[in-house]
Amino acid sequence: MYKDTIDFIKTLYPRQDFIPLHEPRFIGREKEYLTDAIDSTFVSSVGAYVNKFEDEMADLTGARYAVAIANGTGALHIALKLAGVSSGHEVITQAFTFVATANAISYLGAKPVFTDVSLKTMGMCPEKLEAFLSENAEQVGDDLINKVTGKKISACVPMHTYGFPCEIDRIVSVCNHYSIPVIEDAAESLGSHYKDKHTGTYGIMGTFSFNGNKTLTCGGGGAIVTDDEEIAKKAKHLTTQAKVPHRWEFRHDEIGYNYRMPNINAALACAQLEQLDSFIKNKRELGLCYADFFIQQKEMKFFTENEGSKANYWLNVLIFKDLMARNDFLDETNADGVMTRPAWILMNELDMFSDCQHDGLANSKWLEERLVNIPSSVRIDSL
């Protein structure tokens, strides 16, 4: 049924018997920088490449500061802590996300509250967020309290889904009205922009991931970006076991975390950053190829960036007419050596988050039943 689509995808990735969803490309100075890091003997959380990577991430995003973290989940965990999230609090986020978003909230003893996404962006819907807060939130002294649960709402975490920017300016505007700090989960959106600003720079902090399947990878790795100097300094301190600087003493002034990115990973990340522009150009060209092909298809629609945004097209997205068509496509493509994947199971449908409050999540459920990711790797033949 989907042979034409499978054949087309195979023409985009010739000479591959199996086409993965998103594989890394190490075609720059990765080996050179890794060798240099190894020869320096600084392979853990101190080294020249860590500093270089932080400077380059700040330059790339336009943020004043960037802090290198061991992974994206750890970055979000620390960002939430620095925003004031604590045990017994609630954090508004989306159910249509990777589990790390909800897990990071839970690490602090807080609980996620899920509002719906927009079908235009696949990210948090500002109208649904406003409606939820208008109905459920009330100011009690200095705290914003959820009238249903009686708990403090202490942060909001929208996610730029699959690299497509959400309407982050409108989300921040809603949250500012209620004095809710916004932390952007930009794990998937390195190189994506909304209204000429890089994702991750609208909220008080943004967090990124450099896992092996991301547009830029250093095996693991993450980062926090912010314009707040105090937050940046505190993030570095907490992620380095809260060690008080001293030439020889091991003194720690609070509970810290072993979350700093190792120099050897940063070396890999620096080499990848040098290629990011060409990677994004290549991926956006792939998106155009898909858009041209799928405009003729009746069973599915290709998802494109929303007005005002420039997406990195980290993972390309098809939206099918119904669940049966989606499942047929998943079966046929994966059986023929073309890796495709459905959307994540909604967070509120997982056992550990099944009792979390939500707003009905109509759009999230609709997407969950119809969405498929298709191969999105940088095409070497097109570089």
Side-chain angles (χ1 to χ4, degrees):
M1 181 176 180
Y2 296 107
K3 185 177 187 306
D4 288 349
T5 299
I6 293 170
D7 288 345
F8 174 71
I9 294 173
K10 287 182 176 181
T11 67
L12 297 172
Y13 296 95
R15 298 184 300 279
Q16 288 187 239
D17 294 331
F18 171 73
I19 303 173
L21 194 64
H22 197 287
E23 61 182 342
R25 301 298 188 209
F26 302 116
I27 52 179
R29 304 175 72 183
E30 288 88 352
K31 291 181 179 179
E32 176 188 342
Y33 288 1
L34 283 171
T35 299
D36 184 51
I38 291 168
D39 289 345
S40 76
T41 74
F42 287 95
V43 295
S44 293
S45 57
V46 175
Y49 285 107
V50 176
N51 299 332
K52 176 179 169 66
F53 176 69
E54 290 177 335
D55 290 342
E56 291 179 351
M57 271 296 294
D59 288 342
L60 170 68
T61 60
R64 290 182 63 194
Y65 307 99
V67 180
I69 310 293
N71 55 65
T73 310
L76 186 54
H77 174 203
I78 293 299
L80 287 162
K81 183 176 178 66
L82 292 172
V85 177
S86 187
S87 180
H89 292 186
E90 291 180 342
V91 176
I92 299 174
T93 190
Q94 55 199 68
F96 191 77
T97 185
F98 181 57
V99 70
T101 310
N103 280 345
I105 294 167
S106 302
Y107 294 166
L108 292 161
K111 197 161 190 173
V113 171
F114 302 116
T115 60
D116 208 358
V117 296
S118 165
L119 294 180
K120 295 186 297 182
T121 67
M122 300 182 292
M124 183 178 286
C125 175
E127 289 89 356
K128 297 289 185 74
L129 174 64
E130 171 62 45
F132 178 86
L133 289 168
S134 178
E135 180 180 351
N136 295 282
E138 64 177 348
Q139 196 71 35
V140 179
D142 294 333
D143 296 333
L144 186 70
I145 301 299
N146 185 332
K147 291 186 288 187
V148 175
T149 63
K151 294 182 178 181
K152 177 181 176 179
I153 300 171
S154 58
C156 178
V157 181
M159 202 262 276
H160 301 288
T161 310
Y162 301 126
F164 294 91
C166 60
E167 294 177 284
I168 186 62
D169 57 342
R170 297 180 61 203
I171 292 168
V172 169
S173 179
V174 171
C175 289
N176 284 346
H177 177 75
Y178 289 92
S179 299
I180 303 171
V182 173
I183 300 164
E184 293 174 67
D185 185 344
E188 301 172 353
S189 65
L190 186 73
S192 296
H193 293 77
Y194 184 71
K195 294 185 177 179
D196 298 323
K197 284 185 66 175
H198 199 291
T199 55
T201 62
Y202 281 84
I204 61 167
M205 284 171 276
T207 62
F208 293 86
S209 168
F210 310 109
N211 189 38
N213 65 348
K214 295 297 192 296
T215 302
L216 179 158
T217 184
C218 52
I224 296 171
V225 298
T226 183
D227 286 337
D228 190 307
E229 182 179 10
E230 184 177 347
I231 285 176
K233 288 180 177 178
K234 188 71 171 179
K236 277 196 177 186
H237 183 61
L238 283 179
T239 56
T240 316
Q241 298 285 22
K243 184 180 183 297
V244 178
H246 193 278
R247 285 190 298 164
W248 58 78
E249 278 189 353
F250 287 91
R251 187 177 300 277
H252 309 263
D253 57 6
E254 60 183 302
I255 294 173
Y257 303 86
N258 185 19
Y259 276 3
R260 290 287 281 156
M261 179 189 287
N263 194 48
I264 199 164
N265 293 84
L268 192 59
C270 287
Q272 289 267 289
L273 272 175
E274 293 175 353
Q275 304 164 82
L276 183 62
D277 286 347
S278 64
F279 285 176
I280 298 294
K281 181 176 182 290
N282 187 289
K283 290 171 69 60
R284 288 180 59 81
E285 288 171 352
L286 173 63
L288 288 174
C289 291
Y290 278 139
D292 288 344
F293 176 81
F294 286 110
I295 200 169
Q296 308 296 331
Q297 307 300 308
K298 296 179 180 180
E299 293 291 316
M300 73 287 279
K301 179 181 178 181
F302 182 71
F303 189 90
T304 57
E305 61 197 4
N306 191 36
E307 183 180 356
S309 66
K310 183 178 180 181
N312 65 6
Y313 283 81
W314 170 55
L315 288 185
N316 288 289
V317 170
L318 294 179
I319 306 294
F320 284 80
K321 64 179 184 179
D322 55 36
L323 180 63
M324 182 177 297
R326 184 206 75 165
N327 287 343
D328 287 344
F329 183 80
L330 288 168
D331 284 340
E332 193 170 334
T333 50
N334 283 285
D336 203 356
V338 175
M339 186 177 180
T340 59
R341 287 293 181 266
W344 313 283
I345 295 172
L346 297 184
M347 294 300 99
N348 63 299
E349 296 174 1
L350 300 177
D351 288 345
M352 57 277 199
F353 302 119
S354 61
D355 62 343
C356 293
Q357 185 182 6
H358 60 79
D359 65 357
L361 306 173
N363 291 339
S364 302
K365 292 176 181 177
W366 190 90
L367 284 169
E368 182 190 28
E369 292 178 352
R370 292 166 174 81
L371 185 147
V372 172
N373 293 128
I374 56 178
S376 304
S377 306
V378 168
R379 294 174 299 147
I380 293 177
D381 290 344
S382 300
L383 286 170

